[in-house]
Amino acid sequence: MSGVPHGDEAGLTLVELLVALCLLGAVLIATTTVLSGTFRAWRVTAHRAEEQQNVRLALEWMVRRLRVIGPTDLTGGDGGSVAFVADLGSGVKPHRFCLDRRSWVVRHQSGTDVTPTGCTRGAGITTPAEAGQPHVVSLEFAYFDAADNLLPVPLDATDLTRIRRIRIELKMGLPGRDEASSAMGLTAEVGLRGEVR
């Protein structure tokens, strides 16, 4: 017998082998595409969950600090910020919470970093926005008196002494979309020290 296959013993021809390799390549490309899309979706979901947790922690952080103040400790407030004087562990000094709209970071201004307007100075208590990822798009404060009436902002000196409760709302959204409609909001309320709530 010679080494040449006969009849039923024939193997794959070069053309059949190339067709099989092309089909295998197409299956591998399709599988990789599906898996990479799934991985990207998982990464976006994981990042969103992480950012939501960061925003929850920032909201809780602000609430804990506002709980130590009384109505006479407030020094300013508008719809986007609140200012007060308190001892938060390093002596009595001014503080302010606001949203830096350049980096989309909620900031805690303290001492010499406190500014009546603008919010580019101070420690960030949320993470900066990353391209294509959800970030804080809004920080809003609402102020209520003892009768639970909403006080108009900006607050004047008389209104500041009437505040008994502050509502804080943080909204997260996706850049490049209609942020008002894509935003997810987290809200907390703080009764000022000495106020029964």
Side-chain angles (χ1 to χ4, degrees), residues 30-86:
T31 302
T32 302
T33 302
V34 168
L35 289 178
S36 71
T38 303
F39 180 69
R40 266 194 311 274
W42 174 82
R43 257 190 1 221
V44 166
T45 302
H47 187 276
R48 173 167 254 193
E50 181 182 335
E51 188 61 24
Q52 286 173 351
Q53 181 63 20
N54 289 339
V55 170
R56 275 189 200 94
L57 291 172
L59 187 60
E60 183 180 309
W61 193 87
M62 285 189 287
V63 166
R64 281 195 318 263
R65 277 137 187 88
L66 287 170
R67 276 195 182 126
V68 303
I69 67 170
T72 58
D73 298 323
L74 290 164
T75 59
D78 57 36
S81 69
V82 63
F84 56 98
V85 175

Side-chain angles (χ1 to χ4, degrees), residues 115-133:
T115 58
T117 60
C119 191
T120 57
R121 297 187 333 199
I125 57 175
T126 59
T127 56
E130 294 179 29
Q133 299 298 330

Side-chain angles (χ1 to χ4, degrees), residues 180-194:
S181 66
S182 70
M184 179 203 74
L186 298 171
T187 304
E189 298 206 3
V190 182
L192 299 185
R193 186 185 68 226

